[in-house]
Amino acid sequence: DIVVAHMGCTSGGTIGAKSVKTLERCVGLVQAIVDAARRVKPDVLCLCHGGPIAMPKDAHFMIERVEGLDGFYGASSTERLPTEIAIKKQIEDFKQLKLPKKAAKAKAK
């Protein structure tokens, strides 16, 4: 009932794949999978996932170019990557805090 055109380990973040196909290359691969699936079952739901399809703009790129693609299947893109982004920003915000001069002097003693 559902076919997920998996383009490999998702790129990006701290543990994402370092070497992935290009989005342009994935268009042809996903299109071939969608076409093959529809020849067998015309009403199959076809989704793309993985590799360079990591962010909403990447999924949009695929949806705009692959005829008959029904959407995107998120995993790392909807859990790991947003979490990493949020944690990194939070740590950066904490690192920007400056101790008041009074507290810095007391600490030095």
Side-chain angles (χ1 to χ4, degrees):
D1 293 329
I2 298 174
V3 169
V4 178
H6 195 298
M7 296 294 104
C9 293
T10 303
S11 62
T14 58
I15 62 168
K18 302 298 180 214
S19 175
V20 295
K21 301 167 187 70
T22 64
L23 282 170
E24 292 80 8
R25 170 108 171 92
C26 289
V27 168
L29 296 169
V30 172
Q31 187 68 66
I33 292 168
V34 169
D35 293 345
R38 291 269 161 72
R39 281 193 297 273
V40 175
K41 189 174 192 309
D43 64 343
V44 68
L45 184 64
C46 295
L47 307 174
C48 63
H49 169 75
I53 314 166
M55 302 302 277
K57 66 179 176 51
D58 305 326
H60 181 257
F61 182 93
M62 298 301 293
I63 291 165
E64 289 278 307
R65 290 163 176 78
V66 177
E67 186 178 331
L69 187 62
D70 294 304
F72 169 75
Y73 181 88
S76 293
S77 298
T78 58
E79 48 165 63
R80 178 179 60 81
L81 291 175
T83 301
E84 286 184 14
I85 292 166
I87 290 171
K88 183 176 185 242
K89 175 158 182 355
Q90 186 78 346
I91 296 302
E92 288 169 353
D93 289 350
F94 274 111
K95 286 173 63 176
Q96 295 301 313
L97 297 175
K98 304 293 182 211
L99 291 173
K101 290 183 182 185
K102 183 176 166 183
K105 286 180 185 178
K107 184 179 179 183
K109 290 182 180 180

